[in-house]
Structure formats: structure tokens, C-alpha cells
Amino acid sequence: MVSIQDKNYKILRVNQAYADALGMTPKEVIGKKCYEIIHGTKEPMPECPHKITLETGKPKSFELYDASKGTYSEVLTYPIFDGQGEVTSTVHLIRDISQRKKAEVEQQQLRAKAETSSRLATIGEMAAGIAHEINNPLTGVIGFSELLMEQDVSPEIKEQLKIINDGSLRVKDIVKRMLTFARQN
């Protein structure tokens, strides 16, 4: 969409794409104020690129989201100078950047998924390392507690050895689940 607007925000010229986007003919658009037909307001928006270009004499870029259509547009304004170097009007270029925005969001989601996968892999490696570190001394505790329970010891000591053995077997099961988790990742 292309248009030329004067200092008073009045549209001087438009291309067919601009008029089509508004559901009007070029003749119907010319002479109207841009903020009235684009935004439906009685005055320009504070971040209006046309206003900024008029004030600074420099090109301005602005992204606009239309919630009703779910589209993003990039608005570019360029100054038009008279013979004395004064800005008399601006050229507006408006292009639909919805596909680019969608691609940016998808790329961000893919990066987030990759980061999550990387974190899970790291957690899996850590879990495997912890499991092996626990498993080595645990094997000794289980083996020696079972050997001692077979010895001729008092029932009270056998009871305590059984508690040690049962607790060790519970830890062994937890370690086994940690290793299973680590292998999944």
C-alpha cells in the first residue's frame, strides 16, 4: 500500500492496493485524513510515523498490529522536501508482515523446545551420574548387610540389619528408576 500525505494528514495520492485494503476507490480515499480512515480516530496516534517524519525530517518505521484481523503491518514513512528543504509531505509504504511475524514466533518456539531438550538431556546425564555414584557403595551395603544377617547374631541386631537392608533395597529401586529416566533422555 502506498500513499502520499500532506502536513495536515490529508491523503493526496494512493495506489489501488491502498484503496482496496480500505474497501474504497482511490477517489474516495483522497482528501481524507489518514488517522480517520486507518485508525478511526479524531486525531493522530502519539507514535504516528507520519507525525514523527514531519517533525524530524527523517524516515520512520513502525509496526502495527490489527487485532480484529490478526495481522501485522510495517508502516514506513519518508519525507518529501520542498525547494527550501522543508518537509511538505510524506510517502507512506505499508506492507503486511504477518507471515514474517509468524515465522519469528515459530522460530522462537523451536529454540525454546531445543533448549528444553538440552536441559532434559543434561538432567538425564546428571541423574545417570548420581545413580552410578550411589549404586557403587550401595552394593556393598546390601551385600554386607545380607552376609551379616546370615551370621549368628542376636535378634535385635538382625532386626537392625534388616532395617539397613530394606532401606538399601529401597534406595536401589530409586536408583534403578533414575537410570531408567536417564536412558529415556
Side-chain angles (χ1 to χ4, degrees), residues 123-140:
I123 289 170
E125 289 173 21
M126 188 175 71
I130 291 169
H132 285 295
E133 287 297 319
I134 292 171
N135 223 11
N136 292 337
L138 189 60
T139 302

Side-chain angles (χ1 to χ4, degrees), residues 79-139:
I80 298 175
F81 300 97
D82 65 9
Q84 289 78 36
E86 293 279 327
V87 179
T88 58
S89 53
T90 64
V91 175
H92 284 231
L93 301 174
I94 302 172
R95 62 181 160 187
D96 186 343
I97 58 169
S98 300
Q99 291 294 1
R100 185 180 82 194
K101 285 293 202 181
K102 182 180 175 186
E104 287 171 3
V105 167
E106 287 173 359
Q107 190 135 23
Q108 187 176 6
Q109 289 172 340
L110 285 174
R111 273 194 298 267
K113 283 182 180 179
E115 189 175 313
T116 300
S117 292
S118 176
R119 285 184 187 161
L120 283 173
T122 301
I123 289 170
E125 289 173 21
M126 188 175 71
I130 291 169
H132 285 295
E133 287 297 319
I134 292 171
N135 223 11
N136 292 337
L138 189 60
T139 302

